[in-house]
Amino acid sequence: MTATLRVQLEVRDYDQWRTAFDKDAGGRERNGARRYRIFRPLDDEHEVMLDLDFDDATGAIGFLDILRRDVWPSPEKAPAKVGAPRTRIIELLDSHEY
C-alpha cells in the first residue's frame, strides 16, 4: 500500500525554496520516493504543501528522518524554510477517477 509523506511548510520565497528543492539534498529517488506533488494555496504564496509517495510507511518514515536530520537544520540546504515544517505520514485507502 502506498504511503505519502505530507509536508506543510512556510517559506520566505517560493522561487528560492524551489531552487533548493530541485537540488534534492535529501536524495528523494535514491531514498525510495516514487513521485512528488507540490501544492500552494491560492491565497498564501508563503505556504507550500508537498506530498512524497513511497511504496510503504517504512520508506516515508526513513525519508522524514533524513529531512529532519540532514536537510531542514541546514541553512544551505533549506534556505527559504521558516520555522518547523508540519508533517504527517498517510496511507491511501481508496481512489477513484471520474
Side-chain angles (χ1 to χ4, degrees), residues 6 37-38 40 42 44 62 73 85 96:
R6 178 163 288 168
R37 292 173 307 284
I38 298 171
R40 186 167 62 180
L42 295 176
D44 187 353
H96 184 83

Side-chain angles (χ1 to χ4, degrees), residues 14-82:
Y14 175 80
D15 292 331
Q16 183 184 30
W17 174 84
R18 184 58 196 248
T19 297
F21 178 84
D22 288 343
K23 291 179 182 175
D24 195 12
R28 291 182 295 271
E29 185 176 5
R30 182 178 70 246
N31 286 293
R34 299 292 175 219
R35 75 190 57 77
Y36 67 80
R37 292 173 307 284
I38 298 171
F39 305 90
R40 186 167 62 180
L42 295 176
D43 62 349
D44 187 353
E45 67 183 35
H46 297 286
E47 184 176 349
V48 175
M49 290 167 272
L50 171 66
D51 285 356
L52 294 148
D53 294 337
F54 294 82
D55 289 337
D56 55 37
T58 301
I61 292 166
F63 192 69
L64 178 56
D65 288 341
I66 290 168
L67 292 174
R68 287 178 172 157
R69 182 186 66 238
D70 301 333
V71 178
W72 292 337
S74 169
E76 294 80 31
K77 295 177 183 175
K81 180 181 68 63
V82 175

